Amino acid sequence: MTAGAACAVMGILNVTPDSFSDGGRYATVAAAVRQGREMFEDGAAVVDVGGESTRPGAEPVTPEEEMRRVIPVVEELSPAGPVSIDTRHAEVAEAAVRAGASIINDVSATLGHLAARLGVSWVAMHMRGSPRSMQADTRYGDVCAEVQEFLVRRGQDALRAGVPEVWLDPGIGFGKTCAQNLALIRALPALVATGFPVVVGASRKSFVGEICAERDPRRRDAGSLAVALEAARSGAALVRVHDVLATVHGLRMVEAMSDDAVGVVL
Ligand code: HH2
């Protein structure tokens, strides 16, 4: 998968018992593969398979357990379309690529050399510390400048190391307050201007719940769609979402209504 002119959709497929909004829903290989295939049918450009929850305070899992959860799913799902592996662990990423994944979605932004060696695309996301500790210290001087500087440095290093395609992600909700998440979304045009394709993952996250006064993550899809559309308007290349169909339809409508959609073929 390569970044195109229009914003594409990455569907979230958490094969975990404890993810904050869909934990336990796709616990069997069959259920997860069915959900992944449905996401492709609904228009996902890539399905992101994860076996460890990274919600704030989540308990880490061993790479062995993570592999047990994700590898059979990647194997069965990857013939249907591009699959990314959402992991912080090198051994999980490597096994998933061997099982058919073509993108390493790396919330630790540390696996660039592995992506180079394996010759696959790499998403570098900004996070401070680990999921367990990240909300403990959300002090930044200038959050947008710090995040961008960090990501661009990692991105340039990865390109030098030979990664064929590098995507940058500001890591919405990873060690950031509600106000900082909003600032990062407002600053997306600057991140896009660095020339790297940009990924944004805000779907169902707690800042959407805070603003919409909605405690149930599964009732945050409309708020999440608003963020995805704003990210696309700011030039993001990929939005990571739970509700693939609504996001694909929303993006299509916005594109059809835009000035430069004169030649749009329906
Ligand atoms: N967010 C989550 C996980 N992986 N990857 C990228 N690139 N960007 C993100 O914002 C991102 C991510 C956390 O969300 P989710 O997978 O929905 O929940 P959990 O970590 O509880 O499984």
Side-chain angles (χ1 to χ4, degrees):
M1 204 207 129
T2 48
C7 184
V9 173
M10 170 186 260
I12 301 172
L13 184 57
N14 286 318
V15 194
T16 56
D18 58 343
S19 285
F20 74 96
S21 83
D22 56 358
R25 287 195 69 189
Y26 313 115
T28 66
V29 175
V33 171
R34 202 177 319 117
Q35 172 69 4
R37 289 203 180 117
E38 201 174 305
M39 286 177 171
F40 283 129
E41 278 160 26
D42 288 347
V46 53
V47 171
D48 190 37
V49 178
E52 179 191 41
S53 174
T54 48
R55 74 187 149 73
E59 283 299 316
V61 295
T62 62
E64 292 70 31
E65 172 60 15
E66 203 182 329
M67 279 192 266
R68 194 192 59 75
R69 294 175 184 176
V70 296
I71 299 305
V73 177
V74 171
E75 235 159 33
E76 266 201 57
L77 184 60
S78 52
V83 167
S84 56
I85 177 68
D86 182 1
T87 188
R88 307 182 282 152
H89 298 123
E91 49 272 68
V92 179
E94 180 152 6
V97 169
R98 302 215 181 281
S102 51
I103 302 170
I104 299 175
N105 176 26
D106 174 11
V107 299
S108 70
T110 59
L111 304 178
H113 278 86
L114 178 66
R117 177 161 64 77
L118 298 173
V120 295
S121 302
W122 180 55
V123 178
M125 197 201 77
H126 178 274
M127 167 170 62
R128 203 193 242 172
S130 69
R132 218 181 205 179
S133 65
M134 64 192 176
Q135 291 302 124
D137 182 7
T138 55
R139 282 168 305 172
Y140 293 85
D142 175 340
V143 68
C144 300
E146 277 182 47
V147 167
Q148 178 163 324
E149 210 177 287
F150 169 88
L151 289 174
V152 169
R153 210 174 323 117
R154 291 289 162 107
Q156 286 168 342
D157 288 349
L159 288 179
R160 266 194 297 274
V163 178
E165 188 174 42
V166 177
W167 305 64
L168 303 183
D169 183 329
I172 299 297
F174 283 83
K176 286 112 185 170
T177 63
C178 181
Q180 288 164 344
N181 289 319
L182 292 172
L184 286 166
I185 290 162
R186 281 193 290 271
L188 282 173
L191 189 58
V192 168
T194 63
F196 286 96
V198 169
V199 184
V200 177
S203 190
R204 297 183 181 173
K205 287 189 176 168
S206 61
F207 86 107
V208 175
E210 251 176 79
I211 293 165
C212 299
E214 180 53 69
R215 292 173 71 92
D216 182 350
R218 280 165 304 179
R219 287 167 49 90
R220 296 177 188 160
D221 282 339
S224 305
L225 176 59
V227 182
L229 297 180
E230 178 62 12
R233 198 174 66 90
S234 301
L238 194 62
V239 284
R240 182 181 180 276
V241 302
H242 295 86
D243 191 345
V244 169
L245 188 65
T247 309
V248 167
H249 285 176
L251 288 168
R252 202 175 285 166
M253 288 307 298
V254 168
E255 201 189 334
M257 292 182 289
S258 76
D259 287 347
D260 50 2
V262 179
V264 89
V265 179
L266 296 173

